[in-house]
Amino acid sequence: MSAKPSCDEFDPNNLRVEQALEQIHQNITPLVDTIELPLMQVHNHVLAQDIRSPLNVPAYTNSAMDGYALRAADLPAEGNVTLDMIGTAYAGTPFNHAVQGGQCVRIMTGAKLPDGADTVIMQEHASADGDRITFAAAHNEGQNVRHPGEDIAVDEVVLKQGQRLQAAELGLLASLGVPQIKVRRKLKVAFFSTGDELRPVGEALEEGQIYDSNRYTLFGMLRQLDVEILDLGVIRDVPEAIEAAFEQAADQADAVITSGGVSVGEADYVKQTLDKLGEVSFWKIAMKPGKPLAFGRVKQAWFFGLPGNPVSVMATFYQFALPALRHLMGETAEPPLTFQVPCSEALKKRAGRTDFQRGILHRDEQGKLTVSAAGMQASHILSGMSRANCFIILPLEADNIEAGTLVEVQPFRGLM
Ligand code: AMP
Ligand code: MG
């Protein structure tokens, strides 16, 4: 059964999610400022240069096991062979004599393979009687040996500019001995909340007032993105106050994010202010939650006017502001991970808007991955966002979804 059509849906003036994303992406050109920083300070920065390896990794032929290095030619086709152990090779302290026929060298993981040896036999497959070591048949030539450049070859491009440097990349750069790296500087993002009904935490609420939660949500999301943050607080719905806040934000930051004040009833004076200070489009996006979204420039800063409802703030931040900020900081990010799983229950949906429902991805009794709705789906139910671990993305054309249908999910953990 499909839900009753509503005149809210299929507004021809609504912009599709993909169209809005495209327009934002087309407008924003990445900042080009680069800085050179020591390796320990580049975490979460975006790489501003391709990194070519100055060396082979591994740099020299070495052992993958604790065992014995020997010449494969000495290994028997059947039965056993006993060889003389002539020394030990440690990681960091090589054994500097060649291994001859009839000889072997005790060797530790990572130690340089002595000249003459071509194979390492695990210690578990050998038996020692003093310096006489016995090996059985059925070993392969060259086994347990790591070769120079098999991980990374000298001069190979290991990391590309535009990549965000995280733990693995820091380790990789260290393994190449790179001490200083050219990266893009971090973005500075200013944000504030608008609304006469909003009170900061710590103050008592009077009738009709609510606590300003969006600023905390935004703070958390921006912290996760690891940008510099300028928090301008709650701004009253007074044109002069709004204008002053926009001026200050735009003068000090690369991007300005606000919540509230962009819906039809409120947009008028915000719009007047923004017309004075920059060039901003007020969109109605065919999405739920979300819908009102303002995007453009305020002075030199990029501006994202997110809706006021707490879940809408998160959904529009993740879907629009986040990819835009990443693009602005020069990151060549893949689109966030999505995949399909069956939903364990029916989902209410009206055709005409793309839904970003809040879902809980979990395993059913058979151990199969499935998704259920995280409670009520209204755009003010922030507790649902907290219970959820993913968006369930239901396409614009879709109507009500029956239980068991394959739906697309976007895990929150894959978003940053
Ligand atoms: P608006 O877009 O300003 O009309 O706000 C839409 C809804 O979101 C209203 O119910 C507001 O009270 C609520 N809202 C706006 N800003 C915030 C905020 N910073 N924290 C919590 N709720 C908010
Ligand atoms: Mg408001």
Side-chain angles (χ1 to χ4, degrees):
M1 191 196 78
S2 89
K4 257 203 287 181
S6 142
C7 55
D8 284 358
E9 322 300 332
F10 284 123
D11 181 338
N13 297 317
N14 284 357
L15 208 57
R16 282 172 164 261
V17 171
E18 313 84 69
Q19 289 173 316
L21 264 174
E22 180 64 23
Q23 289 217 25
I24 292 171
H25 199 84
Q26 296 277 316
N27 271 280
I28 292 180
T29 40
L31 297 177
V32 288
D33 329 18
T34 63
I35 42 170
E36 195 160 322
L37 290 175
L39 184 52
M40 271 301 184
Q41 288 173 30
V42 297
H43 184 238
N44 263 329
H45 275 272
V46 172
L47 193 57
Q49 58 174 144
D50 286 353
I51 302 281
R52 284 181 183 275
S53 178
L55 37 86
N56 277 318
V57 182
Y60 48 84
T61 310
N62 71 88
S63 176
M65 292 282 175
D66 289 349
Y68 297 91
L70 46 72
R71 304 161 79 101
D74 280 347
L75 289 168
E78 50 193 51
N80 292 333
V81 68
T82 299
L83 305 177
D84 288 324
M85 187 183 77
I86 57 167
T88 303
Y90 297 96
T93 312
F95 177 73
N96 283 323
H97 303 279
V99 177
Q100 313 286 342
Q103 297 180 333
C104 66
V105 164
R106 175 110 175 90
I107 194 164
M108 305 304 165
T109 305
K112 182 173 178 295
L113 204 71
D115 290 346
D118 55 24
T119 300
V120 172
I121 308 294
M122 284 166 70
Q123 60 190 14
E124 292 82 347
H125 295 159
S127 60
D129 178 9
D131 288 345
R132 302 278 293 155
I133 318 293
T134 300
F135 303 93
H139 293 290
N140 296 322
E141 179 172 351
Q143 72 186 18
N144 301 322
V145 173
R146 301 168 175 162
H147 297 282
E150 75 180 14
D151 181 0
I152 299 159
V154 69
D155 219 31
E156 187 180 322
V157 174
V158 206
L159 295 172
K160 287 226 156 111
Q161 71 141 316
Q163 200 164 343
R164 180 181 285 265
L165 299 172
Q166 290 176 318
E169 289 74 36
L170 296 194
L172 192 56
L173 288 163
S175 74
L176 304 180
V178 180
Q180 294 271 122
I181 296 128
K182 252 195 223 156
V183 291
R184 305 228 183 257
R185 70 168 171 82
K186 284 197 176 158
L187 287 188
K188 192 158 182 187
V189 181
F191 62 100
F192 57 88
S193 297
T194 66
D196 284 340
E197 74 281 28
L198 304 176
R199 285 289 163 276
V201 297
E203 283 184 15
L205 292 181
E206 283 168 31
E207 202 165 283
Q209 297 183 331
I210 58 170
Y211 286 117
D212 167 25
S213 60
N214 290 345
R215 220 154 36 86
Y216 293 84
T217 318
L218 274 172
F219 173 80
M221 294 188 293
L222 289 168
R223 264 305 267 274
Q224 225 183 320
L225 183 63
D226 209 351
V227 295
E228 278 180 48
I229 286 170
L230 180 64
D231 177 3
L232 296 180
V234 178
I235 310 297
R236 305 295 301 267
D237 287 325
V238 176
E240 297 75 38
I242 299 265
E243 186 175 334
F246 272 120
E247 287 256 14
Q248 189 191 350
D251 285 343
Q252 295 185 40
D254 302 301
V256 179
I257 301 182
T258 62
S259 71
V262 291
S263 52
V264 181
E266 295 197 287
D268 287 357
Y269 68 91
V270 175
K271 194 167 186 313
Q272 278 167 20
T273 306
L274 289 172
D275 279 346
K276 236 201 280 186
L277 296 179
E279 216 173 300
V280 173
S281 308
F282 287 78
W283 290 334
K284 281 192 280 172
I285 314 266
M287 73 183 280
K288 199 178 170 186
K291 202 159 184 187
L293 183 77
F295 167 71
R297 290 201 91 133
V298 179
K299 296 180 136 184
Q300 286 312 296
W302 291 103
F303 169 62
F304 302 89
L306 309 183
N309 272 311
V311 182
S312 309
V313 167
M314 294 195 80
T316 51
F317 180 89
Y318 281 133
Q319 303 305 324
F320 301 111
L322 179 63
L325 293 175
R326 295 179 113 170
H327 182 52
L328 183 58
M329 64 176 84
E331 188 177 352
T332 42
E334 295 287 314
L337 172 75
T338 63
F339 52 91
Q340 293 204 322
V341 291
C343 60
S344 63
E345 60 189 309
L347 303 173
K348 277 209 180 113
K349 163 84 170 66
R350 282 177 180 166
R353 286 160 82 171
T354 304
D355 272 21
F356 293 84
Q357 300 202 3
R358 279 68 68 206
I360 302 174
L361 200 54
H362 60 99
R363 294 197 180 273
D364 66 14
E365 300 85 65
Q366 283 85 50
K368 288 217 180 78
L369 212 48
T370 172
V371 70
S372 53
M376 260 177 77
Q377 293 291 332
S379 58
H380 61 290
I381 309 288
L382 197 51
S383 61
M385 193 73 203
S386 166
R387 270 194 304 278
N389 58 13
C390 67
F391 285 118
I392 306 172
I393 306 179
L394 303 175
L396 183 126
E397 301 77 17
D399 236 310
N400 283 336
I401 305 284
E402 284 174 29
T405 310
L406 277 182
V407 291
E408 192 180 7
V409 294
Q410 184 181 62
F412 292 160
R413 288 227 192 134
L415 284 170
M416 290 276 182

